[in-house]
């Protein structure tokens, strides 16, 4: 950039820069231009009436902030330490299947982007290029592995062993997909992804029980995450089985319709866990303020799902890094305006129940974004 086009420091402070993407919604807009309708619907869609997905956003929008003032917030640090590593944000790129739909590099590019920035990455067992190749592509990143159980005990043990051998820092068992949901955007177009046609072993997922959690804890030392916990009762059972991380998730609204929003579930899980395990949460989180709300409510790590897909479709690996940079900028400004300089200074006293101002929608966090509706 030459001197004539150099952006003044004051403008950079206000959010302007030489980057192509200066707002998160610009990544979404570019993704929409790059994707066909089937791939687009895979990101934005949910189950049946899409009520759970909308409640994810509504639950976040029902929370307001209680800021404190006249505190020195000149030095705000958004980093945390988890899994023995320092992360620039308490953010995990959540497990999403079929990332190769959005960029040829698939999960490898996402993991590299997360590692370059300094965030955690959880690999879905149904995303290419798979367990070992993703680990090789992002050896330095903080990597976690998530499994859909589609085989017997020997298959589960094989996946855990391979995750340990490939340097993953935790192993995650997804437990909210006993039956695959009705994704009506796809049904209306009579579309079935090729990976779903090839998928086998669904009966193993339907038959999954707590005995598999016990099997993993008894045989392996890797930290265990259980994803899909949505009640205090199941959180208590997970604790009884020695689970290290409770992952509060409703699959982004893509499984059980008419479920509660993730941030409506989180308080009861925090109370039930009582500090005896760490807590992850995902479901509609796509702004820096969303991340701050979750940590203030008691979560330790926030999963970013759909937004990573938009970023990947918009600009590949570089889009993942830029998305995280923008989230970091939003988080730092939010923390400073709340009157705190570290996440450790947050608690529920920073939050207040409020009426949402926007109708909940997959894009309600991006009021400047307009997407032409598709006619099914």
């Amino acid at each position: 950039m030459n001197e004539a086009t150099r952006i003044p420091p004051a403008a950079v402070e206000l959010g302007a820069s030489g980057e192509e993407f200066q707002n998160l919604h610009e990544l979404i807009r570019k993704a929409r231009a790059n994707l066909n309708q089937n791939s687009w619907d895979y990101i934005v869609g949910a189950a049946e009436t899409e009520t759970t997905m909308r409640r994810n956003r509504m639950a976040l929008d029902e929370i307001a902030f209680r800021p404190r003032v006249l505190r020195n917030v000149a030095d705000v640090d958004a980093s945390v330490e988890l899994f023995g590593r320092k992360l620039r944000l308490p953010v995990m790129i959540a497990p999403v299947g079929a990332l190769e739909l959005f960029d040829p590099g698939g999960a490898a590019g996402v993991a590299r982007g997360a590692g370059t920035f300094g965030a955690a990455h959880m690999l879905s067992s149904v995303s290419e290029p798979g367990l070992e190749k993703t680990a090789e592509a992002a050896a330095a990143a903080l990597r976690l592995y998530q499994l859909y159980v589609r085989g017997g005990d020997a298959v589960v043990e094989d996946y855990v062993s391979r995750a340990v051998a490939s340097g993953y820092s935790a192993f995650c068992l997804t437990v909210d997909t006993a039956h695959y949901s009705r994704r009506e955007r796809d049904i209306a177009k009579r579309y079935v992804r090729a990976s779903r046609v090839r998928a086998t072993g669904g009966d193993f997922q339907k038959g999954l029980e707590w005995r598999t959690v016990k099997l993993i804890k008894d045989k392996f030392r890797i930290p265990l995450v259980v994803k899909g916990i949505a009640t205090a009762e199941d959180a208590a059972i997970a604790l009884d089985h020695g689970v290290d991380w409770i992952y509060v998730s409703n699959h982004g609204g893509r499984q059980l319709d008419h479920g509660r929003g993730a941030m409506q579930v989180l308080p009861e899980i925090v109370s039930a866990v009582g500090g005896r395990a760490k807590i992850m949460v995902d479901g509609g989180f796509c702004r820096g303020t969303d991340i701050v709300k979750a940590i203030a409510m008691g979560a330790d790590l926030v999963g970013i799902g759909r937004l990573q897909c938009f970023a990947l479709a918009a600009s590949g690996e570089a889009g993942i890094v830029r998305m995280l940079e923008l989230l970091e900028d939003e988080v730092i400004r939010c923390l400073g305006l709340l009157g705190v300089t570290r996440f450790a200074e947050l608690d529920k006293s920073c939050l207040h129940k409020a009426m949402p101002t926007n109708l909940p929608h997959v894009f309600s966090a991006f009021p400047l974004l307009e997407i032409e509706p598709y006619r099914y």
Side-chain angles (χ1 to χ4, degrees):
M1 182 179 297
N2 61 42
E3 188 65 25
T5 59
R6 187 177 67 86
I7 297 173
V12 173
E13 170 64 20
L14 292 172
S17 73
E19 298 282 350
E20 178 183 2
F21 304 106
Q22 299 190 40
N23 289 302
L24 288 166
H25 82 261
E26 294 172 352
L27 288 163
I28 303 174
R29 188 169 59 203
K30 183 66 174 291
R32 171 67 280 206
N34 288 347
L35 294 175
N36 63 40
Q37 191 62 39
N38 291 328
S39 296
W40 177 255
D41 280 347
Y42 179 61
I43 307 179
V44 303
E48 299 180 27
T49 68
E50 302 190 342
T51 294
T52 308
M53 177 185 70
R54 292 171 186 262
R55 283 184 178 153
N56 279 335
R57 277 310 314 170
M58 184 170 65
L60 282 158
D61 291 342
E62 286 174 342
I63 301 170
F65 289 121
R66 298 181 66 248
R68 301 297 303 274
V69 298
L70 293 175
R71 298 180 171 191
N72 185 342
V73 290
D75 178 21
V76 177
D77 182 2
S79 69
V80 296
E81 290 193 12
L82 291 168
F83 297 101
R85 302 271 294 271
K86 183 176 181 178
L87 301 176
R88 278 173 64 177
L89 286 174
V91 161
M92 171 195 64
I93 306 299
V96 175
L99 287 172
E100 59 276 9
L101 290 174
F102 313 123
D103 183 79
V110 178
R112 277 195 304 268
T116 296
F117 174 84
H121 175 260
M122 185 178 283
L123 173 66
S124 168
S125 60
V126 291
S127 241
E128 296 297 337
L131 189 156
E132 285 85 6
K133 289 184 179 179
T134 300
E136 293 169 6
L142 173 54
R143 291 173 287 102
L144 320 172
Y145 186 78
Q146 173 268 331
L147 178 68
Y148 292 106
V149 175
R150 293 178 177 171
D153 291 353
V155 171
V156 173
E157 291 180 33
D158 177 64
Y159 271 105
V160 182
S161 298
R162 289 164 56 197
V164 171
S166 292
Y168 288 85
S169 295
F171 189 87
C172 175
L173 198 64
T174 288
V175 297
D176 64 350
T177 56
H179 288 259
Y180 193 76
S181 64
R182 289 177 61 85
R183 313 282 173 89
E184 295 202 350
R185 292 174 185 254
D186 289 342
I187 294 171
K189 294 177 294 170
R190 308 300 189 261
Y191 169 73
V192 182
R193 291 196 329 273
S195 60
R196 288 301 308 167
V197 173
R198 295 191 301 268
T200 59
D203 286 344
F204 289 101
Q205 197 78 33
K206 292 176 183 177
L208 193 61
E209 297 180 301
W210 287 101
R211 58 172 295 279
T212 301
V213 175
K214 184 178 187 302
L215 169 73
I216 297 171
K217 287 301 297 181
D218 286 349
K219 292 201 171 187
F220 299 94
R221 296 180 60 86
I222 189 170
L224 179 61
V225 183
V226 174
K227 178 178 183 285
I229 299 293
T231 63
E233 294 90 336
D234 281 340
I237 297 172
L239 292 174
D240 290 342
H241 283 75
V243 170
D244 303 278
W245 283 81
I246 308 293
Y247 192 158
V248 179
S249 176
N250 54 40
H251 229 88
R254 296 158 70 85
Q255 280 300 112
L256 177 65
D257 195 19
H258 290 274
R260 292 182 292 169
M263 282 296 284
Q264 292 167 330
V265 174
L266 182 59
E268 80 172 64
I269 303 299
V270 171
S271 177
V273 169
R276 290 174 288 170
K278 295 288 189 182
I279 297 174
M280 301 178 183
V281 63
D282 72 18
F285 295 88
C286 52
R287 300 302 295 250
T289 48
D290 300 339
I291 295 166
V292 173
K293 289 175 183 180
I295 302 301
M297 191 68 78
D300 298 285
L301 199 56
V302 178
I304 302 296
R306 284 181 171 87
L307 190 60
Q308 71 167 294
C309 300
F310 296 131
L312 184 64
S315 191
E317 180 181 336
I320 297 295
V321 176
R322 185 58 182 156
M323 171 195 74
L324 290 165
E325 290 173 346
L326 289 167
L327 284 172
E328 181 184 47
D329 187 58
E330 292 185 355
V331 164
I332 287 173
R333 293 170 194 263
C334 179
L335 291 175
L337 290 168
L338 281 173
V340 301
T341 61
R342 305 290 185 274
F343 274 108
E345 299 171 18
L346 284 178
D347 58 34
K348 288 189 289 186
S349 70
C350 300
L351 307 177
H352 186 80
K353 187 74 173 176
M355 289 291 291
T357 60
N358 298 324
L359 288 174
H361 187 269
V362 68
F363 297 130
S364 57
F366 304 103
L368 302 183
L369 180 70
E370 291 188 10
I371 299 293
E372 184 71 22
Y374 178 79
R375 302 294 180 184
Y376 292 91

